[in-house]
Amino acid sequence: MLNKLNFKQQLTVLLSSVVVAMLVLIGLSLWGMQRLSDNVETLYQSGAKPIRALGELASRLPRMRVGIDVMFLEEVGMGGDKNVAIRVKETREEDMPAMRQAVELAVKAQIIPKRVEQLGEIQKAYVLMEKESIAPMLDALAAGRTAEAKSLYLAPYTKHYRTVRDQINKALDELVDDAAAVHDQAAAEYKRTRMLYLAVSLGALLVALALGAAIVVRLTGRVKGLETQIESAARQLA
């Protein structure tokens, strides 16, 4: 095919091949960078942000329990009824609303449907915990019914607490696994993109070398032909 083209056309083919290869490489680079950006965004939205929200929830749950434990200690002589009343008010007006908000934010932070459903179950479990154990226990403490409050603490509250705690810990572990999966996927896509980029670069280099070599061979043949014609003309003139 190259033999049918003149020297100018051959150079045009060579340069066009290089330009096309460069455009393909630029396209691959832009595509690869976009994929990396998408993976980073997915890792943040499905990993860092939800884990942060769930971590806040996981830290608030035991803090609220510590506050409840302190109420029982004060009830048996470490502060009296006045401090218990203050603690009950703080739990109702600060800890419980903060816990509800933390649960709600943890649910909203999820983008994976199965995690949204999982956090919804945690939210239901906490609402049940408030209704069946925390609220009645605080009412009993505020009214001075210590025996009833302790009974609620030892039975329904402890059971609800463990259920919610275990659900939160399980969700955290699975979120970490999700983030690891996204990272592995991003790493695999990066390797595939890199191999494709290298393959196209090598292919373009080989094509350019082949075309260049063909043009050089043809040009060399023409030069030798001219040399032969000049030598022949010189002999004739001599």
Side-chain angles (χ1 to χ4, degrees):
M1 178 180 176
L2 287 177
N3 292 331
K4 297 179 181 180
L5 303 177
N6 59 38
F7 184 66
K8 180 179 179 181
Q9 290 172 331
Q10 290 178 353
L11 286 178
T12 301
V13 170
L14 177 61
L15 291 175
S16 298
S17 301
V18 174
V19 170
V20 169
M22 290 180 63
L23 291 175
V24 172
L25 291 176
I26 292 172
L28 283 175
S29 299
L30 293 175
W31 177 79
M33 288 188 290
Q34 183 60 48
R35 291 297 301 161
L36 288 175
S37 175
D38 292 343
N39 286 325
V40 170
E41 179 67 17
T42 301
L43 185 61
Y44 171 72
Q45 294 293 340
S46 65
K49 190 176 179 181
I51 289 174
R52 171 66 181 84
L54 200 54
E56 175 67 18
L57 180 58
S59 68
R60 283 196 173 277
L61 185 65
R63 293 209 304 266
M64 186 167 66
R65 179 169 185 172
V66 169
I68 293 173
D69 290 343
V70 170
M71 293 183 212
F72 284 103
L73 291 175
E74 290 175 340
E75 184 67 27
V76 296
M78 295 182 62
D81 295 340
K82 183 178 180 180
N83 281 348
V84 170
I86 294 174
R87 295 284 185 182
V88 168
K89 182 179 180 182
E90 289 177 348
T91 302
R92 285 173 173 167
E93 297 180 358
E94 297 177 14
D95 294 342
M96 291 171 67
M99 187 67 183
R100 291 189 209 107
Q101 184 181 30
V103 174
E104 185 176 352
L105 290 176
V107 174
K108 290 181 178 180
Q110 310 304 315
I111 63 170
I112 301 176
K114 65 179 180 179
R115 297 292 167 241
V116 175
E117 183 178 352
Q118 185 179 33
L119 268 293
E121 292 300 318
I122 293 176
Q123 189 174 34
K124 292 177 183 178
Y126 176 72
V127 170
L128 188 64
M129 178 181 178
E130 273 197 6
K131 180 180 178 181
E132 294 186 355
S133 59
I134 298 178
M137 184 169 54
L138 293 178
D139 291 340
L141 283 170
R145 300 193 303 271
T146 306
E148 179 184 345
K150 288 181 179 179
S151 177
L152 290 166
Y153 181 90
L154 294 173
Y157 174 75
T158 300
K159 179 182 177 181
H160 286 308
Y161 177 85
R162 289 173 179 170
T163 298
V164 175
R165 179 198 62 191
D166 292 345
Q167 287 179 330
I168 292 173
N169 290 338
K170 181 182 178 182
L172 272 172
D173 291 341
E174 292 179 357
L175 279 173
V176 172
D177 292 339
D178 290 344
V182 172
H183 172 269
D184 292 342
Q185 180 182 355
E189 288 190 0
Y190 166 74
K191 290 179 180 178
R192 286 196 298 270
T193 303
R194 183 180 63 181
M195 291 302 297
L196 183 59
Y197 189 91
L198 291 175
V200 173
S201 299
L202 180 60
L205 178 62
L206 292 176
V207 169
L209 289 175
L211 289 174
I215 293 173
V216 169
V217 169
R218 187 177 179 189
L219 184 61
T220 301
R222 287 186 175 182
V223 170
K224 288 183 178 180
L226 288 174
E227 289 178 347
T228 301
Q229 292 177 5
I230 292 173
E231 290 176 356
S232 176
R235 285 195 297 270
Q236 291 177 0
L237 290 174

